[in-house]
Amino acid sequence: MAGLRCPLLGALLIIIVGVVRCSPKCFPGDQALGKCGESTSEKGTCADNTLGYCDDLPYSKAIFPNLLDHRSRGDVEFSAEYILLSVLDNLLQGECNPDLRLVGCSILAPKCEKNKIVKPCRRVCQALKKSCLPAFEAIDMAWPYFLDCDRFFVGEEEGCHDPLEKLRVNVEITSEDLAPQTPYTLIHFTHHNYNQMVSILKKTAAKCSNIAKTYSIGRSFEGKDLFVIEFSNNPGQHDLLEPEVRYVANMHGNEVVGRELLIYLAQYLCSEYLLGNTRIQTLINTTRIHLLPSMNPDGYERASEEGAGYNGWTNGRMTAQNIDLNRNFPDLTSEVHKIMKVRSARVDHMPIPESYWWGKVAPETKAVMKWMRNVPFVLSGSLHGGELVVTYPYDFSKHPLEEKMFSPTPDDKVFKMLSKTYVASHPKMSDQSTERCGGNFINRGSIINGAEWYSFSGGMPDFSYLHTNCFELTLELGCEKFPTEDELYPAWQDNKESLLSLIEMVHRGIKGVVKDEHGNPIKNARISVKGIRHDITTGEDGDYWRLLIPGVYVITAEAFGYSKVSKKITLPARMMKAGRVDFVLNRVEIKTRKYDKLIPEDIYDRYDPLDSYDPHAQAGQREQGEGDEQSQDREKPWWWSYFSMLGNNKPSWLLKNN
């Protein structure tokens, strides 16, 4: 039996050794995390480096398997890592290349000496990551796992090499190079496609991360994010008594000047703040500014196909659904014209009619309406093209059969003040020549009531005024809707001061906080001005802003279930900032007095899909089941399509949420 046991024991040992030798070196998922590369450092032999995108490395011999366990040149060339290196220059708009490609290649085709891998230096990786990470952030891409400085790179004491040594040859380092860099304003006055626009906005926010932030308010019909960049001393959050301003451009896809101006304005605000421009610092420290350069990115893509200077009057104006966004908002103006003579009728903060939802409402329109509800905007400018004039509400005539009829709001004087402010700082709008673009409006001071110019319903400015607290102007910026690039810098010069001056106007009038007798803020209290039939309401924190021209006013604050309080105030002509008018309201028994305009909120509750609308959902999103993979791909970042040929092996490690 002893003799039998020995052969059996020997056979068992052979089997165990075989199992150990044949066991997988890499558990599922570990290869993508780089946990399998260490075992390859002693294997393979040196061979000529023949990888096309890596043929300019400072060495000629590479080794396989590499640090990612790719066993041959073929494995590398069909890998997600190699494809990423081949497209990075395009994705990052030339930033960080060729440095990024060469450092990546030092991992995919590692340097070989005496049939052993020589790893790249950790300091090179760390310096590269520090300078290039903002470029990845700008396109919502995670830092590639195979460029993990701690995992795949080593220190000098371990005998590393510098994959960028060729780039450092004959470069003299001067004392000026070592001196701290002074911030500067560098704006390229060119047209920007969607990807370029998003990249610039995110890079700007990264450069000024203490005062700027990008966010999406929703998606277009074709799935493009509607990106906003905001500026504030506390980005991402509303501060008590800090007014909020928005600029919206490119709602007509072929009207592109405003789109470019807001991209330039974002870069200007960031750089000038860093440079110590007192005016810009004061503006950002006291105001929350939101810029939406493109409300209709799908339409822009169609308009840009013809190229600048060749675009027709209408091509690309509509969305991908063939919807004119500036005719797609709820028509509240016609209702106001009907009930204006009824003294007790409510003519502000009007609900959206249920019948509106029976029609075709663009996802872009829904996204902007939800944005308006979520942010307590005070002032807005909608940037257009086709004329050179500033228009103000109402845009829809008070007589439905009159196409050109002066139809003022109760705040006509305020709107005129705002419009004149924009014109006063604009050299062409204030030019008295009748031969220029916009010369037809010279006698009106380059401003006009919208309905008096031409009447239309469903516009964004009317909706903004009648549904929210926000006063919105339409800024027509020139007769060329899609001008050539040589006209963009002059357009910036003409409009820069006007854009800044209009933002500053949000600090005119009065502001304050409405609280109860215990110091608790009162939300949705109504602030009325005697003689102006348009109230505004307080926000979540009980704060409010009321734009007014200089004069003497009686201001009243009231809320359902509270006392009514009135104050008489004077706004001097030279007052350059909002006057502070606070109110304290005491709780009262509702039966003790009559409430004229104060209606419990539930009376105005109606069927409103906007409350449950998710602006970030893909339009026409599929049901779970067949086609889920395609649906999920549509939810990925725009650059995900670059890896479509990889099938199920797409680089999920590049997704931030992973």
Side-chain angles (χ1 to χ4, degrees):
M1 289 293 292
L4 181 61
R5 285 175 184 166
C6 287
L8 286 174
L9 182 59
L12 182 60
L13 287 172
I14 292 173
I15 292 172
I16 292 173
V17 171
V19 169
V20 172
R21 286 179 177 172
C22 296
S23 63
K25 295 175 300 185
C26 216
F27 290 101
D30 281 355
Q31 183 171 337
L33 293 173
K35 295 180 180 178
C36 313
E38 299 299 326
S39 62
T40 64
S41 59
E42 301 295 331
K43 297 182 179 181
T45 57
C46 295
D48 291 337
N49 172 28
T50 55
L51 284 174
Y53 283 107
C54 301
D55 60 0
D56 53 347
L57 285 166
Y59 51 86
S60 59
K61 298 294 183 179
I63 187 171
F64 294 102
N66 64 15
L67 290 168
L68 305 183
D69 209 29
H70 297 139
R71 296 183 172 277
S72 67
R73 169 187 169 182
D75 287 350
V76 173
E77 289 179 337
F78 285 98
S79 71
E81 295 86 352
Y82 188 68
I83 292 174
L84 173 64
L85 295 183
S86 72
V87 299
L88 267 179
D89 187 62
N90 186 40
L91 294 181
L92 301 182
Q93 299 295 313
E95 283 200 50
C96 300
N97 271 325
D99 306 48
L100 202 57
R101 176 179 56 79
L102 290 172
V103 172
C105 282
S106 72
I107 301 299
L108 297 182
K111 183 177 181 179
C112 182
E113 289 183 357
K114 298 179 181 179
N115 294 330
K116 292 184 179 180
I117 288 178
V118 180
K119 293 185 178 181
C121 295
R122 182 174 293 120
R123 60 175 173 80
V124 176
C125 175
Q126 291 171 337
L128 187 71
K129 184 174 182 179
K130 182 178 180 180
S131 75
C132 297
L133 189 57
F136 281 82
E137 295 283 348
I139 61 172
D140 273 333
M141 181 181 283
W143 185 254
Y145 81 90
F146 63 95
L147 296 181
D148 185 321
C149 302
D150 294 323
R151 182 175 296 158
F152 298 109
F153 299 77
V154 296
E156 273 82 359
E157 69 279 1
E158 298 181 57
C160 66
H161 74 93
D162 182 356
L164 303 181
E165 65 179 71
K166 273 189 177 181
L167 301 181
R168 307 185 199 282
V169 176
N170 298 326
V171 177
E172 295 183 5
I173 306 298
T174 67
S175 58
E176 292 181 359
D177 295 324
L178 298 175
Q181 292 294 309
T182 303
Y184 61 93
T185 302
L186 178 60
I187 301 175
H188 296 289
F189 294 96
T190 60
H191 288 290
H192 298 87
N193 63 28
Y194 178 78
N195 294 337
Q196 292 167 339
M197 175 188 73
V198 172
S199 178
I200 286 178
L201 295 182
K202 294 204 169 187
K203 288 175 186 174
T204 301
K207 179 180 178 183
C208 290
S209 58
N210 59 323
I211 59 162
K213 175 185 177 182
T214 58
Y215 63 94
S216 169
I217 64 168
R219 291 186 172 192
S220 69
F221 181 74
E222 293 183 344
K224 298 181 183 69
D225 277 298
L226 306 179
F227 272 109
V228 174
I229 184 168
E230 68 162 279
F231 291 89
S232 166
N233 60 352
N234 190 13
Q237 183 174 326
H238 171 72
D239 286 340
L240 188 72
L241 290 172
E242 186 170 278
E244 312 225 11
V245 180
R246 71 171 181 262
Y247 278 132
V248 178
N250 201 212
M251 71 185 308
H252 292 146
N254 62 335
E255 297 172 10
V256 306
V257 175
R259 170 193 175 104
E260 299 303 335
L261 291 184
L262 295 191
I263 295 173
Y264 307 154
L265 180 61
Q267 297 172 82
Y268 178 82
L269 291 175
C270 171
S271 294
E272 290 298 305
Y273 191 98
L274 296 179
L275 284 167
N277 184 320
T278 305
R279 181 190 185 189
I280 300 304
Q281 288 183 337
T282 300
L283 191 62
I284 291 176
N285 290 338
T286 60
T287 320
R288 192 176 177 205
I289 304 164
H290 306 252
L291 310 178
L292 172 59
S294 185
M295 183 180 169
N296 183 7
D298 298 346
Y300 175 85
E301 295 301 318
R302 285 159 178 74
S304 64
E305 289 174 358
E306 294 186 1
Y310 296 97
N311 183 269
W313 197 252
T314 60
N315 188 36
R317 174 186 176 94
M318 310 293 193
T319 68
Q321 292 177 287
N322 200 35
I323 294 174
D324 186 330
L325 293 178
N326 208 30
R327 307 292 188 274
N328 196 228
F329 286 82
D331 173 21
L332 306 180
T333 322
S334 58
E335 183 65 20
V336 165
H337 291 327
K338 292 176 186 176
I339 65 176
M340 201 63 185
K341 292 182 180 180
V342 181
R343 184 178 178 278
S344 60
R346 182 176 177 177
V347 292
D348 54 71
H349 297 85
M350 300 182 65
I352 297 174
E354 184 176 341
S355 59
Y356 169 73
W357 301 107
W358 301 344
K360 193 174 185 180
V361 183
E364 297 89 345
T365 307
K366 292 178 184 177
V368 169
M369 288 195 293
K370 191 138 191 172
W371 186 38
M372 290 178 177
R373 282 190 183 176
N374 292 338
V375 181
F377 292 114
V378 181
L379 180 61
S380 173
S382 178
L383 284 61
H384 289 256
E387 257 298 354
L388 191 63
V389 67
V390 176
T391 76
Y392 55 90
Y394 291 122
D395 285 321
F396 189 48
S397 171
K398 59 186 176 182
H399 193 293
L401 299 181
E402 291 289 343
E403 294 184 0
K404 296 179 182 291
M405 186 177 190
F406 180 58
S407 304
T409 67
D411 283 290
D412 191 59
K413 291 180 180 179
V414 174
F415 276 116
K416 285 180 178 177
M417 174 185 70
L418 298 172
S419 301
K420 289 176 180 178
T421 298
Y422 196 92
V423 170
S425 301
H426 195 292
K428 287 190 172 64
M429 286 186 177
S430 55
D431 181 5
Q432 296 301 305
S433 171
T434 57
E435 301 300 318
R436 65 168 176 82
C437 171
N440 294 334
F441 302 99
I442 290 297
N443 294 334
R444 301 176 182 273
S446 293
I447 70 173
I448 189 171
N449 172 257
E452 190 174 9
W453 182 20
Y454 67 92
S455 175
F456 67 91
S457 62
M460 185 165 67
D462 283 12
F463 174 78
S464 178
Y465 179 70
L466 293 173
H467 189 69
T468 74
N469 289 330
C470 186
F471 290 44
E472 182 169 299
L473 300 179
T474 298
L475 311 174
E476 296 280 351
L477 302 177
C479 293
E480 284 287 335
K481 293 193 172 189
F482 205 134
T484 53
E485 288 190 341
D486 62 321
E487 298 178 65
L488 294 178
Y489 178 67
W492 167 247
Q493 290 292 91
D494 288 342
N495 289 278
K496 178 184 72 173
E497 181 60 32
S498 294
L499 290 168
L500 295 174
S501 297
L502 184 58
I503 295 174
E504 290 171 331
M505 291 300 290
V506 77
H507 295 282
R508 299 298 180 89
I510 61 174
K511 65 181 179 181
V513 180
V514 180
K515 299 180 179 180
D516 64 19
E517 63 267 39
H518 303 296
N520 300 312
I522 301 176
K523 176 186 175 183
N524 285 333
R526 297 178 71 82
I527 307 297
S528 59
V529 181
K530 186 176 181 179
I532 302 178
R533 196 175 169 188
H534 185 86
D535 300 347
I536 56 98
T537 59
T538 56
E540 294 284 341
D541 302 319
D543 50 354
Y544 75 91
W545 304 261
R546 208 330 174 166
L547 298 176
L548 293 167
I549 65 171
V552 179
Y553 299 97
V554 175
I555 312 296
T556 300
E558 50 188 327
F560 190 75
Y562 292 87
S563 60
K564 178 192 289 189
V565 176
S566 297
K567 295 184 179 183
K568 187 175 183 179
I569 65 160
T570 299
L571 293 177
R574 296 185 179 181
M575 191 169 181
M576 304 301 288
K577 62 180 182 179
R580 180 75 180 264
V581 184
D582 294 335
F583 294 90
V584 175
L585 307 185
N586 296 315
R587 282 195 173 274
V588 296
E589 290 293 331
I590 295 178
K591 297 179 181 179
T592 60
R593 79 175 185 84
K594 180 181 177 182
Y595 284 78
D596 296 329
K597 292 180 291 182
L598 299 181
I599 304 172
E601 290 184 29
D602 59 349
I603 292 181
Y604 270 90
D605 281 349
R606 302 190 184 188
Y607 170 71
D608 192 347
L610 201 59
D611 291 333
S612 58
Y613 174 67
D614 179 5
H616 300 283
Q618 178 73 27
Q621 195 167 28
R622 295 169 186 256
E623 296 294 327
Q624 293 296 319
E626 185 178 356
D628 276 355
E629 184 179 340
Q630 295 180 19
S631 178
Q632 290 170 8
D633 277 357
R634 284 202 302 271
E635 296 175 4
K636 298 294 192 299
W638 58 267
W639 44 261
W640 191 248
S641 60
Y642 280 75
F643 304 96
S644 58
M645 75 288 291
L646 293 173
N648 294 328
N649 297 318
K650 297 185 185 75
S652 59
W653 36 268
L654 286 175
L655 299 174
K656 280 190 170 183
N657 59 0
N658 277 23

